[in-house]
Amino acid sequence: MTRSTERIDAEPTERTPTAVSQPRLGIIGWGRWAWRQLTSMRTALFLLLLLALAAVPGSLFPQRTADPNGVVQYFKENPGLAPILDKFQVFDAYTSFWFSSIYLLLFLSLIGCVLPRTVHHLRAIRTAPPRTPARLSRMPGFIALDLNDDGKATGSAVTAPDAIAAARSLLRRRGYRVAVFEGAQTKDSTELSVSAERGYLREAGNLVFHIALLGILITVGIGGGFGYNGNRVVVEGQTMINTLAAYDSFNPGRFFTDAELSPYSIRLDKLAVTYETQNKDARGLPTDYTATVTARTQDSRNGYKTTIKVNEPLNIGGTNVYLLGNGYAPHITVRDPRGHVVFSDFVPFLPQDSNLTSLGVVKVPDGLQQQIGMMGFFYPTKAVAQNGAFYSSYPDVKAPMLTLNVYSGDLGLNGGVPRSVYTLDTSRLKQLTGVSTGVKSIELAPGYSQQLPDGLGSVSLDGVSRFASFQVNHDPAQGWVLLFTVCAFGGLLTSLFVPRRRLWVKAIGQASGPLRLEYAGLARGDDPQLETVVETLAQNHIEALRNRDPGASDGRHPEEDTRRTT
């Protein structure tokens, strides 16, 4: 029935309609609105994307927690840009205020999103399957069968209760939750149906995935609060002791205490590096790093030998010790004019290229007439370019040479301000050697010495050893992070591959006429197998009815006497 276009609902009025006035939300209303926006799935996905973007600076710029020497080098190469980036905590990206803010918002969003869905899912599991729709013909994969059975005379006719009982048993064996419903009853017909559903594991997997993500966020936060990581450069023959003062750089968690440092020591016996020598195109590329160390703990005071390789850390005292880098540490000795040693130590030089041309600094604050600083390069295999400049042509020690420029003056070590051992502030120092002074730089080969300018003394290169850069990482929540990661992966696979579907079987018994069977299904989301599942259900149901019907022993299949309507 259509509505007449001539009908007048109300008399026209000349008054101007008043504007609709919206109620004021108030503080509570705005708070609820903000909470709903924060806990929506759209916001959670946006925050996940934003968190991924916020992690990009951590891979583009060196981080103090993982590469403090790289941060020092970046400040040296970019003196104008580096302080600006440091104000925005770019070199501490994963502990910065902006990364932590996104992290916290995502944490709250997941809580507000997961908890209501979990409660709803638990209620849905305890709820019976929904009632069978009145018209199954509107459902996907609909199949209707009129079952003619000649066994009525022997009392073996298939009735509606028999058909529904067989369907119920068949669906239960396939893992469906079932419920039987009665339809409209008349004198001439009886209607029974079974409603079945399965696939709640799909939503359970989805919830496990999100709860596991929440668990990862919590455990990562706990691990970051109670854990620590530190870096230490160890020269061959030297020992690293797990004490706070022994680290070159140390980054503790917010709740870290010195009591968490397990007592142990690691002595670097040998750092072996293997280089490619056969392939001309890859000559000099490292193929293996192996640090042979002697580790000692309270339980093994005599120590035990082991190795540390790239991606094969040493687990000791509840920490993982990683091999991050390597380089050369020339043994430099400085003597005063009378020949007394005022400085003698291995000085790590930081690699600058793939052939390990290395830059280093030597500071001698005491023992001479004035403080001196020396800055120069170490070349493992010295070579001379066409312009006369030195460079290293191979990363292994074949023809080593050390060049140094000497500076004198106040090194700034007595002012109480921490100074990096890898940098030398020359702004208040007088340069004594180098191109600008007219005095040739000091050039040393192992076993040779040379006089310092202005009669300050002498410097010698006594030998060259390798150093290894170790990172010690302690994360008390590492095992929990792995567990939640596995749960998240399993929940994701479950939510992707477990279908959520409902099936219905309806039996309509008639006083005069065949027994009518109807089958249909409905899927939540895309389910390309739904029609096949409904058809298979119908075939198996008919087979079950045939097997229970003695009247079918004459060899005729009930489907031979059926009429299918789809």
Side-chain angles (χ1 to χ4, degrees):
M1 182 176 66
T2 59
R3 185 176 181 180
S4 173
T5 57
E6 298 179 356
R7 179 174 174 176
I8 300 177
D9 292 328
E11 294 293 334
T13 177
E14 296 180 356
R15 293 184 301 172
T16 303
T18 58
V20 177
S21 59
Q22 298 288 346
R24 300 186 61 181
L25 292 178
I27 298 178
I28 298 178
W30 280 110
R32 290 178 177 174
W33 178 85
W35 176 252
R36 289 175 181 173
Q37 297 300 316
L38 178 63
T39 56
S40 65
M41 184 60 67
R42 181 186 303 174
T43 303
L45 293 175
F46 175 75
L47 289 174
L48 276 174
L49 176 61
L50 198 61
L51 190 68
L53 293 177
V56 171
S59 60
L60 297 180
F61 298 94
Q63 300 297 297
R64 286 191 174 94
T65 57
D67 188 13
N69 295 332
V71 176
V72 173
Q73 187 67 25
Y74 192 90
F75 268 81
K76 183 177 179 180
E77 296 176 353
N78 304 274
L81 179 61
I84 298 176
L85 295 177
D86 197 27
K87 290 182 179 180
F88 291 96
Q89 299 178 313
V90 172
F91 303 109
D92 302 283
Y94 304 113
T95 57
S96 62
F97 68 92
W98 39 272
F99 190 88
S100 300
S101 300
I102 300 173
Y103 188 92
L104 181 60
L105 287 175
L106 179 60
F107 181 80
L108 294 176
S109 178
L110 284 176
I111 291 178
C113 180
V114 169
L115 288 182
R117 289 181 58 184
T118 302
V119 174
H120 176 75
H121 181 63
L122 293 176
R123 290 176 178 174
I125 291 177
R126 295 193 300 267
T127 304
R131 192 175 186 86
T132 306
R135 295 192 179 106
L136 291 181
S137 57
R138 297 180 178 181
M139 299 297 161
F142 173 72
I143 296 175
L145 301 174
D146 291 336
L147 184 61
N148 296 323
D149 199 318
D150 297 334
K152 293 181 180 180
T154 61
S156 60
V158 178
T159 63
D162 295 334
I164 294 303
R168 180 177 179 274
S169 177
L170 181 63
L171 290 168
R172 284 177 63 88
R173 288 197 302 269
R174 296 185 178 183
Y176 285 86
R177 299 168 60 243
V178 298
V180 177
F181 298 96
E182 293 185 0
Q185 305 292 330
T186 63
K187 294 181 179 181
D188 299 329
S189 65
T190 301
E191 180 179 310
L192 291 176
S193 65
V194 58
S195 176
E197 63 179 351
R198 63 176 297 181
Y200 276 94
L201 194 60
R202 180 189 185 98
E203 178 65 12
N206 198 352
L207 290 174
V208 168
F209 172 74
H210 287 87
I211 293 174
L213 284 182
L214 190 60
I216 292 175
L217 293 177
I218 294 174
T219 51
V220 167
I222 293 175
F226 290 94
Y228 63 85
N229 63 77
N231 292 271
R232 172 68 189 272
V233 171
V234 183
V235 181
E236 290 176 331
Q238 294 183 353
T239 300
M240 181 193 78
I241 301 176
N242 191 33
T243 60
L244 194 59
Y247 286 95
D248 296 326
S249 64
F250 192 81
N251 296 278
R254 187 178 299 273
F255 309 109
F256 167 81
T257 60
D258 293 353
E260 297 181 38
L261 293 174
S262 302
Y264 65 81
S265 65
I266 299 175
R267 174 187 172 89
L268 178 60
D269 299 322
K270 182 68 175 179
L271 178 62
V273 182
T274 304
Y275 297 100
E276 175 62 47
T277 58
Q278 302 298 325
N279 188 350
K280 294 182 179 180
D281 296 332
R283 182 177 181 272
L285 292 180
T287 59
D288 182 70
Y289 297 96
T290 302
T292 303
V293 300
T294 300
R296 287 183 174 87
T297 62
Q298 287 183 328
D299 299 332
S300 58
R301 296 183 180 180
N302 295 328
Y304 59 94
K305 284 189 175 294
T306 184
T307 59
I308 306 175
K309 300 171 69 70
V310 178
N311 297 326
E312 295 181 15
L314 169 64
N315 186 277
I316 181 173
T319 65
N320 288 324
V321 182
Y322 296 89
L323 177 62
L324 289 187
N326 75 103
Y328 293 103
H331 189 277
I332 300 173
T333 299
V334 179
R335 294 177 172 85
D336 64 13
R338 294 178 294 179
H340 296 157
V341 176
V342 296
F343 177 89
S344 181
D345 200 359
F346 289 95
V347 181
F349 276 53
L350 302 181
Q352 304 296 305
D353 56 29
S354 59
N355 286 326
L356 296 188
T357 300
S358 304
L359 174 66
V361 171
V362 182
K363 298 179 182 180
V364 185
D366 302 307
L368 301 178
Q369 296 178 359
Q370 53 186 323
Q371 295 182 346
I372 66 168
M374 293 180 286
M375 181 169 58
F377 289 92
F378 175 75
Y379 307 95
T381 302
K382 181 194 68 173
V384 183
Q386 293 182 354
N387 59 0
F390 295 125
Y391 68 96
S392 178
S393 60
Y394 192 72
D396 205 358
V397 177
K398 300 297 184 180
M401 189 184 73
L402 175 67
T403 63
L404 295 170
N405 281 332
V406 184
Y407 299 82
S408 65
D410 184 9
L411 297 177
L413 301 179
N414 300 325
V417 179
R419 303 284 183 177
S420 173
V421 297
Y422 301 107
T423 60
L424 180 65
D425 184 7
T426 61
S427 60
R428 295 184 297 175
L429 301 178
K430 178 183 177 182
Q431 185 173 356
L432 303 180
T433 63
V435 178
S436 60
T437 64
V439 180
K440 187 177 179 180
S441 300
I442 294 176
E443 299 176 3
L444 296 172
Y448 288 85
S449 64
Q450 188 171 335
Q451 294 296 314
L452 294 171
D454 295 345
L456 294 175
S458 64
V459 58
S460 63
L461 176 60
D462 300 331
V464 179
S465 293
R466 284 187 177 271
F467 73 80
S469 178
F470 291 124
Q471 183 184 65
V472 180
N473 182 58
H474 173 62
D475 186 357
Q478 190 174 26
W480 289 101
V481 173
L482 176 61
L483 175 63
F484 283 120
T485 301
V486 173
C487 291
F489 186 72
L492 181 61
L493 292 180
T494 303
S495 64
L496 290 177
F497 294 106
V498 174
R500 174 80 179 272
R501 61 170 69 108
R502 291 172 179 170
L503 297 177
W504 294 282
V505 179
K506 182 183 291 186
I508 304 175
Q510 305 177 26
S512 58
L515 176 67
R516 183 175 180 82
L517 299 177
E518 296 181 351
Y519 307 87
L522 182 65
R524 184 173 182 177
D526 295 333
D527 188 357
Q529 299 295 323
L530 181 62
E531 293 186 0
T532 303
V533 169
V534 175
E535 184 176 354
T536 303
L537 172 64
Q539 293 175 355
N540 293 341
H541 187 220
I542 295 297
E543 182 69 21
L545 294 178
R546 183 183 70 84
N547 291 337
R548 66 163 297 280
D549 184 8
S553 59
D554 57 356
R556 298 193 325 170
H557 194 286
E559 289 182 311
E560 298 176 0
D561 296 328
T562 60
R563 181 177 66 256
R564 176 175 296 183
T565 305
T566 60

